[in-house]
Amino acid sequence: MSILKTQNLAVGYKHGRHPPRVVARDIDVSLHRGEFVCLLGPNGAGKSTLIRTLVGMQPPLDGQVYLMGRDIADMSAIEVAQVISVVLTDRIGVGIMAVRDLVGLGRYPHTDWIGRFTDEDERVVSWAIRAARAEDLAYRNVAELSDGERQKVMIARALAQQPDLMILDEPTAFLDLPRRAEIMALLQDLAHSTGKAILLSTHDLDLALRCADRIYLLPFEGGLQTGAPEDLILNGAFEGAFQSDGVRFDADTGAFKLNAQRGRISVAVSGEGRRAYWTKRALERAGFRVGDAGAEWCVDIGEGDVWCVEHGGVARECDSIADLIVALKGEHG
Amino acid sequence: MEAQYKDEAQGGPRHAVIMLGLFLLLLVAFGLSLSLGSVHIPLAGLFGILTGEEVSSPAWAIIVHTIRLPKAITAVLAGAALSVSGLQMQTLFRNPLADPFVLGISAGASLGVAIVVLTVGAVGSVLIAGMGFLGDLSLAVAAIIGAATVLGCVLLVSRSVQSVMTLLILGLMFGYATGAFVSILIYFSVPEQIQSYILWTFGSFGSVTWRQMPVLISAIFFGLLLAFLCIKPLNALLLGENYARSMGLNVKRIRLWILISASILAGATTAFCGPIAFLGLAVPHLCRSLLHTSDHRVLMPAVTCLGATLALLSDLIAHLPGSQFVLPLNAVTSLIGAPIVIWFILHRKNLGQAFS
């Protein structure tokens, strides 16, 4: 049985008597145990709205969300809390609190009226901190944590809630690349080792493509598409979703390419290896078109740190890429 | 370092010691407030009076029974009520500047009192002459009606308001609006009436009689009971309403209960003692600073104890023991309290973390 299932779900906002503003519609997905799923899509396509609807923070405009086979609309907050836990983008201002106590708040749906801990609760909290690899933070003050540390702690808190499904809204925002990779790897590992389903939204395309078991792709139009990351690349779904004037998804490399103002002047680059690659990148960045042999300008990458520019039989040597760009631009004012 | 963090985090024994200290301090303050005043009553005599024995000076027994005991009990109740109410408001609105009166409760009470005090003259001076006990009670009744009206408006609005920030601003607006009414009333009143209104705004623990006491006690016990039942939800609300909801909290319902509890506490206190400033704002901060935690399981009892103690001590200072003079209570709470809090906060340097 799927943990979470949606049927004809439409998400968006309702303001009084105005007609509702539908952000995304016809969403049919199901999430299974042990699955690590990334929700991708351009800004404004409705990722956060979808996430908020899935966790019951806002009502769907149409359709149903089923949690363990039950309609989420018929479930109490505490019943939902025993299945789903979340990590949100909300700023947390818990005041003076040790990390361990914050993680302990995750036990909320399991403790008595005043929140007393049993040995079992203590054990789960310790496990959650260990699983989120936050042992060395356990007795630090929450207010003193860095962004990356705080994110780990919030993941530990979500784990302590012992959910079947964890939903995270952009958990890697504001983190540097190593921290992002660390968090993604951690979540992937948690999904596979604990059998929890994990759904997260992210803008980190590259990491998502490398880590996710499945991708939910939410473009501006055309509805949500799901599939293995590679399938979505091969069938062109990615290119469609992230189409814009500025960039283009390159299905060959799985990365974005800037649709730089393709220059009128073409420059041929001869040479191979790393230096040739970065020289081409630099030329594209500076607004030249990297063309084939026979272009009006030729750049020859020689031995050592020398770039040889040739134009109309006149040759000139540059000793850095910056120098090369200046030389080319100088000619064309 | 690690060991110290562990100690701070687990808190247990350290918190227990501080709690015990706070409780003892409360007992001492209670004893002092019975013993000190314009007439000094030695501790031995005090015990005799309280246990109902024959004492050397019957005047002492009268002073204690009719003046000091009700005043001390009122101070304990009011101090605890305002401080707990302040703690609830600060957590609910996630704002370190929130106090029991942010929702306009005291403004409502003020309006009730202002209407009674400032319009009686218009109805006829016969009424004033015949007021006596009834007059005292009518002030409290007017304040309760005023506070309850504002509370009702706020609760009604809170049901349809999504964000607490909106609620906070609405409360402030209610406060300004009722304040404006009071200004208009004052503008058309004679100096004597204005003086008696101003006297009420100075605050006092001394105007509650034994006959009124059961009303005050039951209101505040009910408010405190609700507050203690909300300890766990308040802890969840430290993470913000979205997280609280995701952990299974029915945010709208809990918000309503917290508002009811805080308003009863603040409303009842204001009705019987006047708008007492400062305690509700400062005591929660002092307790956070002292106990180095935001956990309401620890804070709630600590705030109750310290609030009661500080109310007793303020009243004690206001009565300038050994003299016949009495200072306005509000002047004492703020004048002496503010520097203490400033020193404490600068010294401990952890207020900044309260809600950041």
Side-chain angles (χ1 to χ4, degrees):
Chain A
M1 186 178 64
S2 54
I3 293 175
L4 179 112
K5 189 171 155 54
T6 67
Q7 210 166 50
N8 292 325
L9 185 68
V11 300
Y13 299 92
K14 225 185 294 195
H15 292 292
R17 285 184 297 259
H18 299 284
R21 193 167 68 80
V22 180
V23 180
R25 64 172 82 242
D26 298 329
I27 298 168
D28 294 285
V29 293
S30 60
L31 251 172
H32 299 273
R33 282 191 188 285
E35 246 184 353
F36 181 58
V37 179
C38 291
L39 173 61
L40 297 171
N43 273 335
K47 291 193 301 295
S48 287
T49 315
L50 175 58
I51 293 247
R52 291 168 58 87
T53 310
L54 289 183
V55 303
M57 269 163 61
Q58 68 181 68
L61 292 182
D62 193 18
Q64 284 83 35
V65 179
Y66 294 103
L67 216 51
M68 313 293 273
R70 289 178 62 195
D71 192 336
I72 201 168
D74 300 333
M75 295 170 73
S76 70
I78 201 104
E79 287 173 321
V80 175
Q82 283 168 351
V83 182
I84 301 184
S85 70
V86 298
V87 175
L88 304 168
T89 48
D90 295 22
R91 194 180 65 98
I92 49 161
V94 292
I96 308 159
M97 185 179 270
V99 165
R100 200 184 155 86
D101 294 334
L102 176 77
V103 175
L105 283 179
R107 296 304 294 161
Y108 189 94
H110 306 279
T111 54
D112 64 0
W113 70 275
I114 200 168
R116 218 185 336 244
F117 272 25
T118 61
D119 290 346
E120 167 72 3
D121 293 317
E122 295 284 2
R123 200 186 55 73
V124 173
V125 169
S126 298
W127 166 81
I129 291 174
R130 230 177 14 253
R133 291 169 209 153
E135 295 103 317
D136 48 336
L137 307 175
Y139 298 104
R140 294 263 301 278
N141 186 339
V142 176
E144 294 162 0
L145 299 179
S146 73
D147 287 336
E149 290 169 335
R150 189 159 43 237
Q151 209 56 266
K152 274 197 205 171
V153 170
M154 292 315 283
I155 290 172
R157 189 211 62 83
L159 279 174
Q161 210 170 317
Q162 285 188 307
D164 298 296
L165 165 63
M166 272 171 69
I167 294 185
L168 305 91
D169 194 7
E170 299 200 24
T172 56
F174 309 116
L175 305 185
D176 62 15
L177 188 61
R179 235 57 55 193
R180 278 184 282 175
E182 189 185 341
I183 296 284
M184 289 292 264
L186 168 68
L187 290 169
Q188 182 196 32
D189 183 47
L190 280 173
H192 294 167
S193 64
T194 63
K196 296 181 194 309
I198 296 184
L199 170 66
L200 65 88
S201 68
T202 180
H203 285 289
D204 221 318
L205 212 72
D206 192 45
L207 275 170
L209 292 178
R210 284 170 204 278
C211 299
D213 298 322
R214 261 197 314 155
I215 299 277
Y216 291 176
L217 187 62
L218 191 60
F220 277 115
E221 281 158 16
L224 186 92
Q225 287 172 285
T226 69
E230 296 77 13
D231 283 332
L232 291 178
I233 293 176
L234 291 176
N235 69 16
F238 266 99
E239 253 171 295
F242 289 98
Q243 211 164 34
S244 84
D245 293 341
V247 293
R248 170 173 64 82
F249 183 80
D250 183 7
D252 293 335
T253 58
F256 283 103
K257 281 214 159 142
L258 290 175
N259 286 345
Q261 334 68 350
R262 305 283 280 174
R264 283 169 294 113
I265 298 129
S266 79
V267 180
V269 178
S270 60
E272 286 190 352
R274 190 186 292 167
R275 283 178 62 216
Y277 172 75
W278 287 106
T279 305
K280 286 177 188 165
R281 281 274 294 256
L283 290 172
E284 282 179 352
R285 175 170 58 83
F288 294 98
R289 187 153 46 109
V290 179
D292 306 325
E296 37 188 325
W297 288 77
C298 291
V299 175
D300 189 27
I301 297 167
E303 291 297 313
D305 289 332
V306 181
W307 285 261
C308 195
V309 189
E310 196 224 301
H311 176 53
V314 185
R316 195 182 144 183
E317 284 194 352
C318 304
D319 52 13
S320 73
I321 288 182
D323 211 15
L324 171 71
I325 301 282
V326 170
L328 284 168
K329 280 201 166 160
E331 293 291 331
H332 300 280
Chain B
M1 195 69 187
E2 179 75 1
Q4 182 212 335
Y5 267 127
K6 251 183 189 155
D7 213 34
E8 296 252 319
Q10 293 177 340
R14 207 178 68 100
H15 287 163
V17 169
I18 294 179
M19 280 305 305
L20 191 67
L22 286 177
F23 187 70
L24 290 178
L25 204 63
L26 173 61
L27 290 184
V28 170
F30 195 82
L32 283 179
S33 82
L34 291 184
S35 152
L36 299 179
S38 52
V39 177
H40 174 66
I41 302 173
L43 226 55
L46 210 55
F47 268 114
I49 293 166
L50 291 179
T51 49
E53 280 172 35
E54 203 62 27
V55 277
S56 48
S57 165
W60 286 359
I62 294 172
I63 290 176
V64 168
H65 274 302
T66 58
I67 302 174
R68 290 194 190 163
L69 195 56
K71 197 181 63 167
I73 293 175
T74 306
V76 167
L77 292 171
L82 290 176
S83 309
V84 166
S85 175
L87 175 65
Q88 289 177 305
M89 292 294 105
Q90 287 174 5
T91 300
L92 184 65
F93 292 115
R94 303 178 81 198
N95 189 329
L97 291 178
D99 72 2
F101 304 135
V102 280
L103 294 177
I105 306 286
S106 76
S110 306
L111 181 61
V113 169
I115 288 174
V116 170
V117 174
L118 303 175
T119 59
V120 189
V123 180
S125 52
V126 192
L127 247 165
I128 298 185
M131 266 163 84
F133 162 75
L134 197 70
D136 278 355
L137 194 64
S138 74
L139 273 196
V141 170
I144 288 174
I145 293 174
T149 310
V150 172
L151 164 65
C153 291
V154 170
L155 292 184
L156 208 65
V157 172
S158 83
R159 289 173 46 175
S160 53
V161 165
Q162 276 298 327
S163 121
V164 282
M165 205 43 85
T166 318
L167 197 60
L168 186 60
I169 294 169
L170 282 176
L172 285 174
M173 293 305 122
F174 276 126
Y176 282 123
T178 41
F181 273 118
V182 174
S183 302
I184 293 172
L185 283 173
I186 288 181
Y187 186 75
F188 289 109
S189 302
V190 295
E192 290 76 21
Q193 294 170 330
I194 297 176
Q195 196 188 11
S196 38
Y197 172 73
I198 300 272
L199 273 179
W200 178 80
T201 64
F202 284 156
S204 159
F205 296 134
S207 53
V208 181
T209 62
W210 280 116
R211 290 176 68 175
Q212 298 169 1
M213 194 61 83
V215 182
L216 182 63
I217 289 182
S218 35
I220 286 181
F221 266 72
F222 180 65
L224 286 179
L225 181 71
L226 276 185
F228 275 77
L229 287 176
C230 288
I231 284 178
K232 190 183 169 192
L234 280 169
N235 274 343
L237 282 171
L238 284 174
L239 284 175
E241 296 201 344
N242 284 333
Y243 272 115
R245 191 178 295 113
S246 84
M247 291 191 284
L249 193 75
N250 186 333
V251 170
K252 273 201 172 172
R253 191 161 66 207
I254 287 297
R255 191 204 282 167
L256 195 67
W257 282 116
I258 292 174
L259 287 179
I260 289 175
S261 158
S263 308
I264 288 177
L265 292 171
T269 308
T270 310
F272 286 99
C273 311
I276 292 169
F278 191 73
L279 282 177
L281 175 69
V283 172
H285 287 311
L286 286 177
C287 285
R288 274 190 213 103
S289 216
L290 197 65
L291 292 150
H292 202 78
T293 183
S294 297
D295 187 343
H296 292 82
R297 284 175 295 183
V298 181
L299 279 185
M300 199 61 95
V303 160
T304 311
C305 265
L306 190 64
T309 308
L310 289 186
L312 284 168
L313 292 181
S314 307
D315 186 57
L316 203 62
I317 295 169
H319 279 80
L320 300 170
S323 79
Q324 298 298 323
F325 295 104
V326 180
L327 293 177
L329 183 60
N330 263 331
V332 174
T333 53
S334 305
L335 211 62
I336 298 182
I340 292 177
V341 171
I342 290 172
W343 177 82
F344 211 86
I345 282 166
L346 292 181
H347 184 69
R348 301 286 303 232
K349 291 191 185 355
N350 56 7
L351 172 74
Q353 298 170 0
F355 290 96
S356 61

